[in-house]
Amino acid sequence: MGRIRLIFLWFVVVDKSFCATIPLGDEDVHKELCLTKTCIQLTSQLFDNMNLNADPCHDFYEFTCGNFVRTKEIPEHKGLVDGFERVNNLFEQQGKALLEKEQSEGDWEIFKHFRTHYKACMNESAIEEKSLTLIKTKLESLGGWPILKGEDWSDEDFYLEDYLVTAIQEGFRSFSLFEISVEIDEKTNDSHVIKLDQAMFGISREFLAQGRQERTVQAYRKYMNETAQHFGVKSENLDELDKVLDLEIELAGIALSRENRSNPILRYNEFIAEEIPSTIVPSWPQLMQKIFQNETITGEEKVVIKDLDYFRNLESVLEGYSRRNLANFLGWTMIKNLDSYLDSFILDKKQELEAILKGKKSQPLRWKRCVKAVGFNNYDPKSFQIGVGSMHVLEYFPPKAKEIVEDMLRRIRATFSDLIVNSNWMDDATIGEAQAKLDRMDQMIGYPDELLDEEKVTSLYEGLENYGAVGVAIGHEITHGFDNSGRKFDLDGKLRNWWTNDTDKAFDVKKECLVDLYEGFEVKQVGKNVNGRLTLGENIADFGGVRSSHMAFEKYLTENNETQVLPGLPFTPLQLYWIFFGQSWCTVARDEKIRDNLLNDDHSPPQFRINGPLSNYEGFAKDFGCKPSDQMVQETQCRIW
Ligand SMILES: [Zn+2]
């Protein structure tokens, strides 16, 4: 978790810093007016986004982002536009350049794989010509898709176990009846283990769990029909898809909800292979042996079930469906799994579905789709996001930026350490463990220095210190190590309870304050409230990030007097710090996207990522002179660290 997040942090740093310089303007410090093009652009950008008529103590999001929200247009192919738009576009462009380059001698072997993947994705004529046939052949090799074969399909030829094995060997590990994978064992953190999980669904579980009448589920049903017809299914047979959807909805009903999926304890249920609580296949050890042919799997093989109720109930759900239903379902999941790689007809239909799910009004350009499919700007853990990250870092991340970030990291970590030591609710034993964990955190980031080309340092990075945008992100990531799920892992990254009972209880009380606070936030645009439990971990990280980064920045200011200032800004350095922070979250989103995020995103909506932590932090109130009666000062102050 930490590693992935921190790698992404690097991107934020490298990209955002292209437009950033030191936002300081206090009378006490020695000032030098920065009048470079970048500084002037930055100043004008700040003003463009802000609503200077708004009262920062009443609604800081409106103050810092009001104009952005009213004037920014959402690109047609997106559900939202935010402060990262420019950065994302740049990243996308850089990704394109990297992927279109020929593989050269010094390149990592895996980059060749990324480039091949990209090329295949870009080859539209081949896709138009062959994609349907390829999938049909695949389906045929698994006994065929009953709905397509009509009377020619016989359930005597269908063996669930064989189907599953073949499908998994072909690479379909997620969209099926369940997901099977080999992952790090959290209990040891140095060995791997087979894991079983709920299936990946065609649309999010949270939509399906709302039932067939839900608008998004209806749209999904329509998409199923259109896709099936495109594959050649006769309209009189389309009814068979009803059962497919019924089954998917029922499976969603027994699957762990999104908010519970972030609970590492709930997600770790240890079994041995022969005692897996489901008999949908005659023998799990045998099935696994067929899947993992290079290993020896016995009945004693350790298996972690990530969604126990799902496996306990799977069998009784399947009892309501015939073998034909099941084969139809599995055929559909295979098509759905590959639908991003299909011809333009399917992509158009998929786009219509996305319009309802996420408010996207058109398809992205082909190359954008393909850059993302490889892993750029793609947060799906099943893409090559980490490998692609290395590819990007090697080319674009200057060592100077790394140095600066490391300095920030060191400072913010020291501040966070103070916060832990000074907390009045943790006992000494737990504080000791927490500090040991904090000390280890630097080992989670970075890559060997010698891999970077010293020549590529640009002068823009000299003196860059953008605590407002980047510092909070660092503090946020550090805090994740101690949020409701991160705290269950010890300094070695092992799933182990290192909290004493009393401190554990105190944490639970404190976290409820945050749950209540966020449950009370309403997104007026869609008239729906935030899910305080789904977003708890991120909210805790936002709280910790805001406080630790601000305190570190205050200290930095007292130590560094010589700084450049931006022209024409009537704000103190600390106020500018908050404005920078706020503006990194300015967002305009379509209704569909907001509803989707409220249900599926464990981050709170942007206005509350700002107003939530800030209205609970006295440091913010002090910098803007907010009074206790102001809206940006919550009556009940929540605080963990
Ligand atoms: Zn986070």
Side-chain angles (χ1 to χ4, degrees):
M1 172 187 66
R3 182 184 292 269
I4 294 171
R5 287 203 173 110
L6 284 165
I7 286 173
F8 275 97
L9 181 63
W10 292 115
F11 300 150
V12 174
V13 174
V14 63
D15 294 330
K16 285 189 88 72
S17 52
F18 279 112
C19 75
T21 185
I22 318 161
L24 304 179
D26 196 37
E27 291 306 315
D28 302 335
V29 292
H30 171 253
K31 293 190 291 188
E32 186 192 321
L33 205 55
C34 176
L35 292 170
T36 63
K37 197 173 148 209
T38 312
C39 286
I40 290 169
Q41 274 173 351
L42 188 65
T43 311
S44 108
Q45 183 195 312
L46 277 184
F47 279 125
D48 279 352
N49 293 345
M50 295 175 78
N51 173 5
L52 287 165
N53 295 322
D55 176 0
C57 292
H58 179 71
D59 180 349
F60 190 70
Y61 182 70
E62 174 61 31
F63 174 73
T64 188
C65 292
N67 224 22
F68 181 101
V69 171
R70 267 178 292 281
T71 57
K72 272 279 180 288
E73 279 195 35
I74 305 170
E76 287 280 298
H77 67 283
K78 291 193 166 173
L80 62 77
V81 60
D82 60 21
F84 294 103
E85 182 68 12
R86 206 188 46 77
V87 172
N88 287 340
N89 288 342
L90 178 69
F91 189 39
E92 228 168 38
Q93 290 284 355
Q94 291 173 338
K96 179 170 185 275
L98 283 169
L99 291 168
E100 286 176 354
K101 247 183 173 169
E102 288 300 318
Q103 181 84 0
S104 62
E105 222 160 77
D107 283 349
W108 296 4
E109 198 50 33
I110 186 129
F111 296 170
K112 198 156 86 190
H113 188 56
F114 300 156
R115 289 178 171 129
T116 311
H117 192 84
Y118 177 75
K119 235 181 225 152
C121 177
M122 286 300 286
N123 191 347
E124 267 183 281
S125 59
I127 290 170
E128 289 298 317
E129 200 182 314
K130 295 180 196 148
S131 61
L132 277 200
T133 319
L134 271 173
I135 295 191
K136 280 188 189 169
T137 314
K138 223 158 235 177
L139 284 167
E140 202 51 47
S141 74
L142 291 163
W145 201 23
I147 186 172
L148 188 59
K149 293 185 85 172
E151 296 301 313
D152 293 340
W153 189 89
S154 152
D155 65 0
E156 280 161 27
D157 304 328
F158 176 73
Y159 298 98
L160 178 62
E161 199 179 326
D162 290 351
Y163 197 111
L164 292 173
V165 170
T166 315
I168 290 164
Q169 281 168 346
E170 295 268 347
F172 306 105
R173 298 204 167 192
S174 318
F175 292 89
S176 178
L177 279 177
F178 53 85
E179 179 178 301
I180 186 164
S181 58
V182 175
E183 290 172 23
I184 280 280
D185 183 346
E186 292 98 332
K187 281 264 164 85
T188 62
N189 202 26
D190 62 2
S191 56
H192 288 76
V193 67
I194 298 178
K195 291 190 180 174
L196 292 174
D197 198 1
Q198 58 178 249
M200 195 107 122
F201 299 103
I203 56 174
S204 109
R205 188 216 82 102
E206 318 308 314
F207 286 136
L208 287 167
Q210 294 181 353
R212 187 178 268 273
Q213 292 318 310
E214 161 69 20
R215 193 166 159 261
T216 50
V217 179
Q218 294 271 337
Y220 179 49
R221 174 71 174 87
K222 178 167 169 276
Y223 173 67
M224 273 183 171
N225 267 344
E226 290 162 343
T227 307
Q229 277 185 298
H230 187 58
F231 268 81
V233 171
K234 297 198 187 85
S235 49
E236 64 262 30
N237 293 337
L238 285 174
D239 286 352
E240 286 193 60
L241 286 174
D242 279 328
K243 278 285 183 186
V244 171
L245 184 59
D246 284 345
L247 176 54
E248 202 165 355
I249 290 174
E250 272 203 71
L251 292 175
I254 59 168
L256 213 53
S257 72
R258 173 90 209 188
E259 72 186 59
N260 281 328
R261 265 181 282 157
S262 66
N263 180 340
I265 306 286
L266 221 51
R267 302 280 279 156
Y268 195 97
N269 304 282
E270 204 175 321
F271 283 87
I272 55 169
E274 62 188 8
E275 286 176 1
I276 291 170
S278 162
T279 50
I280 59 161
V281 291
S283 158
W284 283 98
Q286 261 177 42
L287 178 84
M288 289 172 173
Q289 183 63 76
K290 283 184 193 162
I291 294 169
F292 305 109
Q293 285 167 346
N294 299 330
E295 309 288 327
T296 311
I297 312 273
T298 68
E300 299 292 308
E301 180 73 27
K302 179 176 169 180
V303 176
V304 170
I305 300 187
K306 292 161 98 175
D307 188 343
L308 188 52
D309 278 347
Y310 185 83
F311 279 85
R312 282 192 177 132
N313 293 311
L314 190 53
E315 211 178 321
S316 69
V317 167
L318 294 187
E319 271 167 15
Y321 296 87
S322 66
R323 286 148 77 93
R324 187 177 176 94
N325 296 153
L326 213 53
N328 272 332
F329 171 82
L330 290 167
W332 165 250
T333 59
M334 177 170 296
I335 294 171
K336 182 70 190 71
N337 194 2
L338 291 169
D339 66 357
S340 302
Y341 306 97
L342 291 178
D343 61 28
S344 54
F345 176 88
I346 303 274
L347 290 183
D348 286 344
K349 296 300 161 195
K350 191 176 157 74
Q351 161 54 35
E352 289 170 20
L353 173 63
E354 295 269 295
I356 289 174
L357 296 180
K358 297 177 194 296
K360 296 175 183 172
K361 297 219 155 102
S362 70
Q363 291 182 45
L365 296 174
R366 181 102 208 154
W367 71 264
K368 287 184 184 239
R369 175 197 299 284
C370 293
V371 164
K372 187 171 177 182
V374 179
F376 285 91
N377 277 349
N378 192 342
Y379 299 91
D380 178 354
K382 290 187 173 59
S383 71
F384 309 119
Q385 53 166 332
I386 294 182
V388 157
S390 312
M391 198 179 191
H392 184 260
V393 162
L394 288 175
E395 181 82 12
Y396 292 105
F397 199 68
K400 186 74 184 171
K402 182 181 172 183
E403 225 172 80
I404 291 165
V405 173
E406 275 177 352
D407 181 57
M408 271 203 254
L409 179 66
R410 193 177 48 74
R411 288 167 176 277
I412 293 169
R413 196 171 55 172
T415 311
F416 198 83
S417 170
D418 290 345
L419 289 173
I420 287 178
V421 173
N422 296 328
S423 69
N424 54 10
W425 56 277
M426 293 178 88
D427 56 27
D428 289 349
T430 316
I431 287 177
E433 292 252 16
Q435 278 200 298
K437 180 171 177 178
L438 195 58
D439 287 342
R440 284 279 185 89
M441 274 192 169
D442 60 332
Q443 294 170 9
M444 295 200 298
I445 344 173
Y447 41 85
D449 294 48
E450 65 273 14
L451 290 179
L452 293 163
D453 180 356
E454 292 289 332
E455 301 290 300
K456 287 184 180 154
V457 185
T458 69
S459 61
L460 255 187
Y461 292 102
E462 305 293 338
L464 162 95
E465 290 284 7
N466 196 343
Y467 276 81
V470 181
V472 176
I474 293 176
H476 174 102
E477 298 306 333
I478 290 177
T479 315
H480 267 312
F482 304 92
D483 71 13
N484 53 325
S485 115
R487 76 188 190 93
K488 310 256 165 77
F489 296 87
D490 68 9
L491 73 163
D492 295 317
K494 292 181 187 165
L495 188 60
R496 172 174 75 82
N497 184 18
W498 46 273
W499 293 60
T500 59
N501 269 346
D502 288 346
T503 308
D504 198 60
K505 276 189 202 128
F507 180 90
D508 277 339
V509 172
K510 290 193 161 286
K511 77 168 203 259
E512 287 305 311
C513 181
L514 265 81
V515 171
D516 291 344
L517 174 72
Y518 281 82
E519 300 258 296
F521 288 144
E522 184 197 356
V523 184
K524 299 229 164 59
Q525 191 180 332
V526 297
K528 279 195 158 54
N529 282 50
V530 176
N531 179 342
R533 293 200 188 276
L534 171 65
T535 56
L536 179 61
E538 290 300 332
N539 297 335
I540 292 174
D542 282 343
F543 267 58
V546 157
R547 186 179 288 267
S548 58
S549 166
H550 178 259
M551 288 171 68
F553 181 60
E554 275 184 319
K555 197 149 175 253
Y556 173 87
L557 271 188
T558 60
E559 289 168 14
N560 295 271
N561 286 337
E562 275 188 68
T563 48
Q564 289 188 312
V565 299
L566 295 176
L569 287 175
F571 301 111
T572 68
L574 286 164
Q575 288 172 339
L576 268 178
Y577 162 91
W578 291 116
I579 293 168
F580 265 91
F581 161 63
Q583 294 207 343
S584 62
W585 290 119
C586 297
T587 304
V588 194
R590 296 188 217 281
D591 295 359
E592 294 87 348
K593 182 66 182 166
I594 294 175
R595 283 194 215 103
D596 175 36
N597 282 354
L598 284 172
L599 219 48
N600 295 305
D601 188 354
D602 43 19
H603 300 86
S604 289
Q607 60 270 44
F608 306 121
R609 298 195 68 174
I610 294 175
N611 287 359
L614 266 47
S615 61
N616 284 273
Y617 177 40
E618 64 288 352
F620 168 78
K622 190 188 74 200
D623 290 345
F624 278 94
C626 303
K627 298 182 293 294
S629 57
D630 284 326
Q631 195 166 300
M632 284 303 296
V633 182
Q634 287 281 338
E635 216 177 305
T636 314
Q637 292 275 307
C638 300
R639 176 174 174 185
I640 296 188
W641 286 286

